[in-house]
mmCIF file of all heavy atoms in Angstrom:
data_model
loop_
_atom_site.group_PDB
_atom_site.id
_atom_site.type_symbol
_atom_site.label_atom_id
_atom_site.label_comp_id
_atom_site.label_asym_id
_atom_site.label_seq_id
_atom_site.Cartn_x
_atom_site.Cartn_y
_atom_site.Cartn_z
ATOM 1 N N SER A 139 -7.776 29.776 -3.799
ATOM 2 C CA SER A 139 -8.703 30.028 -2.718
ATOM 3 C C SER A 139 -10.174 30.272 -3.227
ATOM 4 O O SER A 139 -10.474 30.823 -4.252
ATOM 5 C CB SER A 139 -8.237 31.327 -1.985
ATOM 6 O OG SER A 139 -7.058 31.226 -1.384
ATOM 7 N N TRP A 140 -11.064 29.782 -2.323
ATOM 8 C CA TRP A 140 -12.508 29.759 -2.654
ATOM 9 C C TRP A 140 -13.005 31.287 -2.864
ATOM 10 O O TRP A 140 -13.661 31.592 -3.703
ATOM 11 C CB TRP A 140 -13.289 29.015 -1.696
ATOM 12 C CG TRP A 140 -14.827 29.203 -1.767
ATOM 13 C CD1 TRP A 140 -15.572 29.782 -0.834
ATOM 14 C CD2 TRP A 140 -15.661 28.796 -2.815
ATOM 15 N NE1 TRP A 140 -16.885 29.790 -1.232
ATOM 16 C CE2 TRP A 140 -16.938 29.298 -2.482
ATOM 17 C CE3 TRP A 140 -15.450 28.166 -4.075
ATOM 18 C CZ2 TRP A 140 -18.063 28.973 -3.288
ATOM 19 C CZ3 TRP A 140 -16.508 27.916 -4.861
ATOM 20 C CH2 TRP A 140 -17.838 28.308 -4.556
ATOM 21 N N SER A 141 -12.560 32.091 -1.773
ATOM 22 C CA SER A 141 -13.030 33.445 -1.831
ATOM 23 C C SER A 141 -12.139 34.244 -1.070
ATOM 24 O O SER A 141 -11.077 33.766 -0.626
ATOM 25 C CB SER A 141 -14.483 33.561 -1.134
ATOM 26 O OG SER A 141 -14.388 33.166 0.274
ATOM 27 N N LEU A 142 -12.458 35.584 -1.009
ATOM 28 C CA LEU A 142 -11.623 36.546 -0.191
ATOM 29 C C LEU A 142 -11.399 36.110 1.219
ATOM 30 O O LEU A 142 -10.357 36.197 1.705
ATOM 31 C CB LEU A 142 -12.192 37.901 -0.166
ATOM 32 C CG LEU A 142 -12.097 38.780 -1.480
ATOM 33 C CD1 LEU A 142 -12.922 40.047 -1.348
ATOM 34 C CD2 LEU A 142 -10.656 39.109 -1.727
ATOM 35 N N ASP A 143 -12.485 35.366 1.767
ATOM 36 C CA ASP A 143 -12.474 35.041 3.189
ATOM 37 C C ASP A 143 -11.437 33.800 3.485
ATOM 38 O O ASP A 143 -11.108 33.655 4.635
ATOM 39 C CB ASP A 143 -13.845 34.607 3.617
ATOM 40 C CG ASP A 143 -14.897 35.863 3.514
ATOM 41 O OD1 ASP A 143 -14.387 36.959 3.667
ATOM 42 O OD2 ASP A 143 -15.992 35.510 3.276
ATOM 43 N N THR A 144 -11.133 33.006 2.371
ATOM 44 C CA THR A 144 -10.265 31.877 2.630
ATOM 45 C C THR A 144 -8.919 32.067 2.173
ATOM 46 O O THR A 144 -8.093 31.170 2.276
ATOM 47 C CB THR A 144 -10.948 30.699 1.972
ATOM 48 O OG1 THR A 144 -11.002 30.887 0.461
ATOM 49 C CG2 THR A 144 -12.278 30.364 2.489
ATOM 50 N N PHE A 145 -8.539 33.333 1.731
ATOM 51 C CA PHE A 145 -7.161 33.589 1.344
ATOM 52 C C PHE A 145 -6.365 33.996 2.507
ATOM 53 O O PHE A 145 -6.736 34.703 3.385
ATOM 54 C CB PHE A 145 -7.155 34.744 0.324
ATOM 55 C CG PHE A 145 -5.896 35.018 -0.283
ATOM 56 C CD1 PHE A 145 -5.328 34.192 -1.261
ATOM 57 C CD2 PHE A 145 -5.013 36.146 0.094
ATOM 58 C CE1 PHE A 145 -4.136 34.363 -1.900
ATOM 59 C CE2 PHE A 145 -3.873 36.359 -0.504
ATOM 60 C CZ PHE A 145 -3.411 35.489 -1.474
ATOM 61 N N PRO A 146 -5.139 33.408 2.779
ATOM 62 C CA PRO A 146 -4.357 33.554 3.898
ATOM 63 C C PRO A 146 -3.660 34.897 3.996
ATOM 64 O O PRO A 146 -2.355 34.908 3.925
ATOM 65 C CB PRO A 146 -3.352 32.344 3.844
ATOM 66 C CG PRO A 146 -3.107 32.075 2.436
ATOM 67 C CD PRO A 146 -4.490 32.396 1.776
ATOM 68 N N TRP A 147 -4.348 35.977 4.021
ATOM 69 C CA TRP A 147 -3.810 37.214 3.970
ATOM 70 C C TRP A 147 -2.629 37.462 4.964
ATOM 71 O O TRP A 147 -1.620 38.211 4.609
ATOM 72 C CB TRP A 147 -4.860 38.260 4.189
ATOM 73 C CG TRP A 147 -5.977 38.363 3.125
ATOM 74 C CD1 TRP A 147 -7.092 37.821 3.229
ATOM 75 C CD2 TRP A 147 -5.872 39.008 1.870
ATOM 76 N NE1 TRP A 147 -7.847 38.026 2.080
ATOM 77 C CE2 TRP A 147 -7.080 38.778 1.255
ATOM 78 C CE3 TRP A 147 -4.886 39.710 1.220
ATOM 79 C CZ2 TRP A 147 -7.406 39.149 0.000
ATOM 80 C CZ3 TRP A 147 -5.180 40.234 -0.046
ATOM 81 C CH2 TRP A 147 -6.380 39.992 -0.656
ATOM 82 N N PHE A 148 -2.866 37.043 6.222
ATOM 83 C CA PHE A 148 -1.730 37.381 7.175
ATOM 84 C C PHE A 148 -0.973 36.283 7.727
ATOM 85 O O PHE A 148 -0.198 36.425 8.797
ATOM 86 C CB PHE A 148 -2.574 38.119 8.319
ATOM 87 C CG PHE A 148 -3.438 39.194 7.948
ATOM 88 C CD1 PHE A 148 -4.852 39.060 7.879
ATOM 89 C CD2 PHE A 148 -2.857 40.429 7.491
ATOM 90 C CE1 PHE A 148 -5.649 40.138 7.439
ATOM 91 C CE2 PHE A 148 -3.662 41.429 7.035
ATOM 92 C CZ PHE A 148 -5.062 41.372 7.035
ATOM 93 N N ASP A 149 -1.236 35.109 7.143
ATOM 94 C CA ASP A 149 -0.294 33.947 7.553
ATOM 95 C C ASP A 149 1.141 34.162 7.222
ATOM 96 O O ASP A 149 1.399 34.826 6.224
ATOM 97 C CB ASP A 149 -0.847 32.667 6.990
ATOM 98 C CG ASP A 149 -2.192 32.195 7.518
ATOM 99 O OD1 ASP A 149 -2.681 32.797 8.448
ATOM 100 O OD2 ASP A 149 -2.753 31.183 7.011
ATOM 101 N N THR A 150 1.999 33.599 8.049
ATOM 102 C CA THR A 150 3.475 33.778 7.780
ATOM 103 C C THR A 150 4.067 32.379 7.667
ATOM 104 O O THR A 150 5.271 32.420 7.268
ATOM 105 C CB THR A 150 4.108 34.460 9.043
ATOM 106 O OG1 THR A 150 3.874 33.752 10.184
ATOM 107 C CG2 THR A 150 3.644 35.860 9.097
ATOM 108 N N ASP A 151 3.396 31.314 7.788
ATOM 109 C CA ASP A 151 3.898 30.064 7.530
ATOM 110 C C ASP A 151 2.702 29.037 7.172
ATOM 111 O O ASP A 151 1.552 29.475 7.160
ATOM 112 C CB ASP A 151 4.772 29.502 8.672
ATOM 113 C CG ASP A 151 3.885 29.421 9.991
ATOM 114 O OD1 ASP A 151 2.716 29.609 10.003
ATOM 115 O OD2 ASP A 151 4.480 29.275 11.115
ATOM 116 N N VAL A 152 3.062 27.810 6.843
ATOM 117 C CA VAL A 152 1.944 26.837 6.521
ATOM 118 C C VAL A 152 1.213 26.395 7.731
ATOM 119 O O VAL A 152 1.806 25.713 8.673
ATOM 120 C CB VAL A 152 2.658 25.632 5.752
ATOM 121 C CG1 VAL A 152 1.548 24.645 5.397
ATOM 122 C CG2 VAL A 152 3.336 26.067 4.542
ATOM 123 N N LYS A 153 -0.006 26.806 7.857
ATOM 124 C CA LYS A 153 -0.913 26.362 9.042
ATOM 125 C C LYS A 153 -1.475 25.020 8.977
ATOM 126 O O LYS A 153 -1.576 24.335 9.871
ATOM 127 C CB LYS A 153 -1.916 27.425 9.192
ATOM 128 C CG LYS A 153 -1.575 28.879 9.342
ATOM 129 C CD LYS A 153 -0.716 29.040 10.630
ATOM 130 C CE LYS A 153 -0.444 30.639 10.719
ATOM 131 N NZ LYS A 153 0.514 30.756 11.973
ATOM 132 N N ASN A 154 -1.688 24.626 7.730
ATOM 133 C CA ASN A 154 -2.393 23.332 7.497
ATOM 134 C C ASN A 154 -1.374 22.235 7.412
ATOM 135 O O ASN A 154 -0.620 22.163 6.435
ATOM 136 C CB ASN A 154 -3.184 23.353 6.227
ATOM 137 C CG ASN A 154 -4.098 22.122 6.091
ATOM 138 O OD1 ASN A 154 -3.735 21.093 6.342
ATOM 139 N ND2 ASN A 154 -5.372 22.442 5.568
ATOM 140 N N LYS A 155 -1.294 21.333 8.421
ATOM 141 C CA LYS A 155 -0.376 20.297 8.460
ATOM 142 C C LYS A 155 -0.547 19.202 7.311
ATOM 143 O O LYS A 155 0.484 18.574 6.867
ATOM 144 C CB LYS A 155 -0.360 19.530 9.873
ATOM 145 C CG LYS A 155 0.115 20.402 10.999
ATOM 146 C CD LYS A 155 1.590 20.763 10.789
ATOM 147 C CE LYS A 155 2.164 21.617 11.846
ATOM 148 N NZ LYS A 155 3.524 22.069 11.659
ATOM 149 N N LEU A 156 -1.692 19.088 6.888
ATOM 150 C CA LEU A 156 -1.943 18.252 5.677
ATOM 151 C C LEU A 156 -1.114 18.758 4.510
ATOM 152 O O LEU A 156 -0.493 17.896 3.712
ATOM 153 C CB LEU A 156 -3.371 18.220 5.324
ATOM 154 C CG LEU A 156 -4.362 17.394 6.274
ATOM 155 C CD1 LEU A 156 -5.805 17.493 5.752
ATOM 156 C CD2 LEU A 156 -3.939 15.986 6.417
ATOM 157 N N TYR A 157 -1.063 20.057 4.315
ATOM 158 C CA TYR A 157 -0.284 20.659 3.188
ATOM 159 C C TYR A 157 1.168 20.554 3.494
ATOM 160 O O TYR A 157 1.906 20.269 2.464
ATOM 161 C CB TYR A 157 -0.724 22.120 3.006
ATOM 162 C CG TYR A 157 -2.147 22.322 2.581
ATOM 163 C CD1 TYR A 157 -2.820 23.631 2.730
ATOM 164 C CD2 TYR A 157 -2.881 21.327 1.989
ATOM 165 C CE1 TYR A 157 -4.024 23.808 2.326
ATOM 166 C CE2 TYR A 157 -4.227 21.558 1.556
ATOM 167 C CZ TYR A 157 -4.831 22.690 1.756
ATOM 168 O OH TYR A 157 -6.111 22.955 1.321
ATOM 169 N N TYR A 158 1.591 20.753 4.705
ATOM 170 C CA TYR A 158 2.997 20.583 4.955
ATOM 171 C C TYR A 158 3.429 19.183 4.576
ATOM 172 O O TYR A 158 4.534 19.000 3.936
ATOM 173 C CB TYR A 158 3.266 20.801 6.498
ATOM 174 C CG TYR A 158 4.642 20.423 6.854
ATOM 175 C CD1 TYR A 158 5.695 21.296 6.732
ATOM 176 C CD2 TYR A 158 4.938 19.129 7.427
ATOM 177 C CE1 TYR A 158 7.003 20.982 7.025
ATOM 178 C CE2 TYR A 158 6.219 18.821 7.870
ATOM 179 C CZ TYR A 158 7.231 19.717 7.660
ATOM 180 O OH TYR A 158 8.518 19.307 8.045
ATOM 181 N N TRP A 159 2.766 18.085 4.957
ATOM 182 C CA TRP A 159 3.161 16.752 4.681
ATOM 183 C C TRP A 159 3.002 16.424 3.260
ATOM 184 O O TRP A 159 3.783 15.637 2.676
ATOM 185 C CB TRP A 159 2.408 15.821 5.545
ATOM 186 C CG TRP A 159 2.866 15.758 6.981
ATOM 187 C CD1 TRP A 159 2.296 16.252 8.138
ATOM 188 C CD2 TRP A 159 4.208 15.381 7.520
ATOM 189 N NE1 TRP A 159 3.029 16.158 9.169
ATOM 190 C CE2 TRP A 159 4.243 15.648 8.810
ATOM 191 C CE3 TRP A 159 5.264 14.769 6.824
ATOM 192 C CZ2 TRP A 159 5.387 15.314 9.574
ATOM 193 C CZ3 TRP A 159 6.402 14.434 7.626
ATOM 194 C CH2 TRP A 159 6.369 14.745 9.021
ATOM 195 N N GLN A 160 2.072 17.012 2.539
ATOM 196 C CA GLN A 160 1.952 16.843 1.109
ATOM 197 C C GLN A 160 3.194 17.376 0.425
ATOM 198 O O GLN A 160 3.687 16.700 -0.453
ATOM 199 C CB GLN A 160 0.713 17.634 0.644
ATOM 200 C CG GLN A 160 0.428 17.420 -0.857
ATOM 201 C CD GLN A 160 -0.909 18.060 -1.317
ATOM 202 O OE1 GLN A 160 -1.436 18.816 -0.514
ATOM 203 N NE2 GLN A 160 -1.404 17.793 -2.473
ATOM 204 N N LEU A 161 3.659 18.535 0.856
ATOM 205 C CA LEU A 161 4.879 19.106 0.323
ATOM 206 C C LEU A 161 6.101 18.219 0.540
ATOM 207 O O LEU A 161 6.988 17.968 -0.389
ATOM 208 C CB LEU A 161 5.040 20.552 0.767
ATOM 209 C CG LEU A 161 4.064 21.539 0.288
ATOM 210 C CD1 LEU A 161 4.333 22.813 0.941
ATOM 211 C CD2 LEU A 161 4.126 21.759 -1.211
ATOM 212 N N GLN A 162 6.209 17.780 1.810
ATOM 213 C CA GLN A 162 7.345 16.875 2.136
ATOM 214 C C GLN A 162 7.337 15.682 1.315
ATOM 215 O O GLN A 162 8.369 15.074 0.892
ATOM 216 C CB GLN A 162 7.336 16.569 3.623
ATOM 217 C CG GLN A 162 7.640 17.682 4.502
ATOM 218 C CD GLN A 162 9.135 18.196 4.361
ATOM 219 O OE1 GLN A 162 9.957 17.502 3.821
ATOM 220 N NE2 GLN A 162 9.426 19.449 4.766
ATOM 221 N N ALA A 163 6.146 15.101 1.093
ATOM 222 C CA ALA A 163 6.077 13.945 0.233
ATOM 223 C C ALA A 163 6.432 14.090 -1.232
ATOM 224 O O ALA A 163 7.153 13.363 -1.828
ATOM 225 C CB ALA A 163 4.553 13.441 0.275
ATOM 226 N N TYR A 164 5.988 15.242 -1.787
ATOM 227 C CA TYR A 164 6.420 15.631 -3.143
ATOM 228 C C TYR A 164 7.901 15.754 -3.317
ATOM 229 O O TYR A 164 8.552 15.333 -4.156
ATOM 230 C CB TYR A 164 5.709 16.855 -3.515
ATOM 231 C CG TYR A 164 4.253 16.768 -3.877
ATOM 232 C CD1 TYR A 164 3.374 17.894 -3.671
ATOM 233 C CD2 TYR A 164 3.685 15.613 -4.358
ATOM 234 C CE1 TYR A 164 2.104 17.717 -4.024
ATOM 235 C CE2 TYR A 164 2.318 15.461 -4.599
ATOM 236 C CZ TYR A 164 1.574 16.560 -4.519
ATOM 237 O OH TYR A 164 0.226 16.433 -4.713
ATOM 238 N N MET A 165 8.529 16.389 -2.241
ATOM 239 C CA MET A 165 9.981 16.587 -2.271
ATOM 240 C C MET A 165 10.767 15.166 -2.119
ATOM 241 O O MET A 165 11.711 14.941 -2.776
ATOM 242 C CB MET A 165 10.462 17.509 -1.247
ATOM 243 C CG MET A 165 10.048 18.958 -1.556
ATOM 244 S SD MET A 165 10.737 20.216 -0.307
ATOM 245 C CE MET A 165 9.582 20.002 1.061
#
Side-chain angles (χ1 to χ4, degrees):
S139 294
W140 168 246
S141 68
L142 281 173
D143 299 329
T144 62
F145 189 74
W147 295 99
F148 306 108
D149 289 356
T150 56
D151 56 13
V152 178
K153 302 296 185 184
N154 190 320
K155 290 300 181 182
L156 289 177
Y157 294 160
Y158 170 81
W159 286 109
Q160 185 176 11
L161 293 173
Q162 289 294 341
Y164 287 151
M165 288 185 284

